[in-house]
Amino acid sequence: MATGTILRMTDIVKRFGHVLANDRVNIQLAPGEIHALLGENGAGKTTLMNILYGLYQPDSGAITIHEKPVKITSPADAISMGIGMVHQHFMLIDVFTAAENVVLGSWKPAELRMDPATVEAQVQAVANQFGFDFDPAAVVETMPVGVQQKVEIVKALYRGAKILILDEPTAVLTPQETEELFRCMRDLIAKGVSIIFISHKLDEVLEISDRVTVLRLGKVVGTQLTKQVRKEDLAVMMIGHLLERMPKPARTPQSPGLTVKDLTVIDRQKVEKVKGLSLRVEKGQIIGVAGIDGNGQVELANAIAGIWPAASGAVSINGVDMDARSITPRRFTDLGGAYIPQDRSHTGLILDFSSGENLVLKRYRQPPFVKHGFLQHRIIHENAAKLLAQYDVRPPDPYLQTGKLSGGNQQKVILARELHEDPSVIVVCYPTRGLDIGATEFVHQQLIQHRSQGAAILFISNELEELMEMSDKILVLHRGEIMGLVEPAATTPETLGLLMMGQKVAAHE
């Protein structure tokens, strides 16, 4: 890392109504540096980077590049100044080739009639220059997610980026893909690119970054040399206190709470996403499900919970055997099931409804919430006030629209609705995606508590560290089939990564 400063953001202030998102934030980026940015949900990280990329304008403060004051009013301004951003959710057009995505929006009028071979050669040259390996002629939707990310990075480099913002870049990568990304990041640094790395994974921050700046409640808590700080120090800086991990008690084999046999699920595009899958989750057991996104995990969960009809197979919940095609959400609930879906905004909640209304979505037909066919709003919101306090939802306002809550607090509303009646079977789909370490720990504590009370839990996640910590066994899916069922204590993230990519290295039960 060279000395000096390539980028300086000084006393940045940004308000959204009464919310102070950035409160006199200061951050500096040195040439050839990987600078990590940490903070809880709502701490102001994304707002700060959106200001740097020109998506927002600060209310006050200054930005300098190479010690020269600049005004960034749009992404076009940012790009012209050598700033590129790779968003957590890729901005690629699936039906275009990699080369077409890279050059899209950057062609000059004289280049509009360039033939595909010339465009692909240009993109290949940039990819080769920075050590990225992919086929420029390949269609994006055929590429693994790790390769799609390389296309996004090359797209920024093609536009001349010397300051690269990576927002949660490892969120959907296997361990092997993460290591490949880190190799590419180190190569970029060696070739003169400076990187701002946003991540909630403390181990990764410690491994890849030179310095780390921590934000809390819109303010900078501190900036540290990574080699001089511990993981526990970063956690305290982020949330203000040490995490209190709930121990996972030892368990003895019990009868199954959830059994799935020969389940097949076909999606809307007529693609077989789950292929004759069988599994068993005992009472008081957490079975983790690992897999790269799109390999049947969500379809498996939706079929069990009755959200999407299975094509064939059988499911047993608490000893009640059913044709998998007959399961409905209400029947799943009536048999003691709870479902925490992958997308809290679209399938977990009605964002225009209040927290109180969302909390009775499963019970609004039942007394005391309805009387003579009319909803009892006072009782609904009194019930909500108790649950919001119990699950530490902030603010604990039962009348507030759920869409105005942060992602972590929206997730707590779902947990409160699904778990407060002590379900016996719980299907959990990516419950901590996008959550900070404090909210993540709360989710983990709730699930471990229900495991201790005898619930059978199917726990789907793409966070391997989380799966190894939470699960009694881990089932790995690849293209809708089981690659292995392994004991967390007897495996490694690398082995799980190989299984996730389709290499059978362990037999399943």
Side-chain angles (χ1 to χ4, degrees):
M1 182 178 69
T3 58
T5 300
I6 188 173
L7 166 72
R8 192 188 306 271
M9 302 181 77
T10 305
D11 292 337
I12 300 295
V13 174
K14 182 63 180 177
R15 296 179 183 272
F16 296 97
H18 68 280
V19 176
L20 185 57
N22 289 145
D23 185 1
R24 300 181 68 84
V25 173
N26 293 275
I27 185 171
Q28 299 177 17
L29 180 66
E33 176 186 29
I34 299 176
H35 195 127
L37 193 59
L38 281 175
E40 292 188 276
N41 292 337
K45 309 183 302 296
T46 300
T47 298
L48 186 68
M49 290 300 100
N50 283 340
I51 288 171
L52 179 58
Y53 196 59
L55 293 169
Y56 297 151
Q57 279 68 58
D59 297 325
S60 62
I63 300 174
T64 63
I65 297 178
H66 295 296
E67 304 297 349
K68 295 179 180 179
V70 297
K71 187 173 179 60
I72 305 173
T73 61
S74 69
D77 285 346
I79 292 167
S80 70
M81 297 172 193
I83 300 170
M85 186 169 182
V86 176
H87 300 269
Q88 181 176 353
H89 303 289
F90 301 154
M91 305 293 181
L92 299 174
I93 299 177
D94 286 347
V95 297
F96 282 14
T97 67
E100 289 167 342
N101 271 282
V102 167
V103 302
L104 186 65
S106 63
W107 280 345
K108 299 178 178 65
E111 298 173 330
L112 290 177
R113 295 188 179 182
M114 289 172 62
D115 65 281
T118 301
V119 174
E120 290 163 10
Q122 288 186 354
V123 172
Q124 186 71 68
V126 175
N128 291 343
Q129 177 186 350
F130 291 98
F132 289 89
D133 180 22
F134 60 82
D135 179 4
V139 176
V140 162
E141 65 183 358
T142 67
M143 292 177 160
V145 66
V147 179
Q148 291 183 24
Q149 187 174 68
K150 291 180 181 180
V151 175
E152 281 278 27
I153 295 173
V154 169
K155 184 168 72 173
L157 298 171
Y158 182 87
R159 290 161 169 75
K162 293 298 183 182
I163 297 170
L164 186 61
I165 305 164
L166 300 179
D167 187 3
E168 298 283 0
T170 66
V172 294
L173 302 185
T174 66
Q176 287 82 359
E177 288 171 327
T178 296
E179 285 303 314
E180 174 67 11
L181 172 66
F182 286 178
R183 182 197 64 77
C184 293
M185 289 171 64
R186 294 184 182 103
D187 287 347
L188 290 174
I189 293 302
K191 293 171 181 175
V193 178
S194 302
I195 297 174
I196 299 176
F197 174 72
I198 303 174
S199 178
H200 67 276
K201 300 178 181 179
L202 301 184
D203 290 328
E204 292 182 356
V205 167
L206 293 171
E207 177 181 349
I208 193 63
S209 67
D210 300 299
R211 285 191 298 163
V212 54
T213 292
V214 181
L215 294 180
R216 188 166 78 235
L217 300 176
K219 296 182 179 181
V220 172
V221 178
T223 298
Q224 300 281 347
L225 287 171
T226 307
K227 63 184 179 182
Q228 295 178 357
V229 70
R230 300 177 305 158
K231 181 177 179 179
E232 294 77 11
D233 299 328
L234 292 177
V236 171
M237 290 173 72
M238 285 177 65
I239 65 176
H241 58 83
L242 284 170
L243 293 174
E244 298 179 4
R245 296 195 179 276
M246 178 178 289
K248 190 173 69 175
R251 64 177 302 276
T252 56
Q254 299 183 45
S255 61
L258 170 67
T259 303
V260 175
K261 186 174 182 180
D262 297 330
L263 182 71
T264 296
V265 184
I266 298 173
D267 69 7
R268 288 183 174 86
Q269 285 73 43
K270 309 301 181 185
V271 175
E272 194 176 52
K273 300 295 289 188
V274 178
K275 304 174 182 178
L277 183 147
S278 298
L279 62 84
R280 184 181 71 177
V281 188
E282 297 177 359
K283 296 175 182 177
Q285 183 182 44
I286 298 177
I287 294 291
V289 180
I292 299 171
D293 278 359
N295 277 267
Q297 306 96 304
V298 174
E299 290 79 7
L300 169 65
N302 284 342
I304 293 171
I307 304 297
W308 181 257
S312 62
V315 173
S316 177
I317 298 175
N318 292 319
V320 178
D321 298 330
M322 296 170 285
D323 186 318
R325 295 170 295 181
S326 70
I327 303 173
T328 64
R330 181 168 296 174
R331 190 174 189 192
F332 176 72
T333 298
D334 290 345
L335 290 171
Y339 183 42
I340 299 170
Q342 64 152 346
D343 190 337
R344 52 183 169 264
S345 298
H346 292 92
T347 55
L349 298 166
I350 301 175
L351 297 183
D352 290 337
F353 280 17
S354 69
S355 297
E357 292 164 337
N358 272 285
L359 284 166
V360 295
L361 285 179
K362 295 172 68 172
R363 299 198 296 153
Y364 69 92
R365 295 171 178 263
Q366 304 169 7
F369 305 114
V370 66
K371 185 176 181 181
H372 305 308
F374 292 94
L375 291 173
Q376 303 300 296
H377 292 285
R378 181 181 59 80
I379 296 175
I380 287 172
H381 289 95
E382 286 176 352
N383 169 75
K386 296 176 183 177
L387 290 176
L388 296 177
Q390 180 181 343
Y391 282 80
D392 192 30
V393 177
R394 303 177 189 178
D397 180 358
Y399 294 93
L400 183 68
Q401 277 189 342
T402 314
K404 295 182 178 179
L405 297 174
S406 71
N409 284 295
Q410 289 178 4
Q411 192 75 340
K412 289 179 181 180
V413 172
I414 296 175
L415 289 170
R417 184 186 67 217
E418 297 296 322
L419 301 183
H420 81 279
E421 291 189 308
D422 296 328
S424 54
V425 172
I426 304 172
V427 178
V428 188
C429 208
Y430 304 117
T432 63
R433 176 176 281 175
L435 301 190
D436 56 64
I437 57 174
T440 294
E441 195 61 25
F442 181 87
V443 172
H444 290 174
Q445 289 174 354
Q446 292 296 316
L447 293 175
I448 290 173
Q449 178 181 333
H450 283 275
R451 170 190 178 271
S452 299
Q453 294 170 355
I457 302 175
L458 189 68
F459 183 83
I460 298 169
S461 175
N462 57 7
E463 301 283 356
L464 298 189
E465 182 179 347
E466 175 179 65
L467 283 168
M468 295 182 75
E469 177 184 337
M470 292 288 294
S471 306
D472 298 297
K473 293 183 179 180
I474 301 173
L475 179 154
V476 185
L477 287 185
H478 176 71
R479 295 183 178 177
E481 297 182 282
I482 297 175
M483 293 292 106
L485 181 64
V486 298
E487 300 274 357
T491 193
T492 65
E494 291 72 26
T495 297
L496 289 175
L498 291 172
L499 289 166
M500 289 164 65
M501 291 188 288
Q503 181 174 331
K504 284 196 175 186
V505 296
H508 69 270
E509 294 182 356

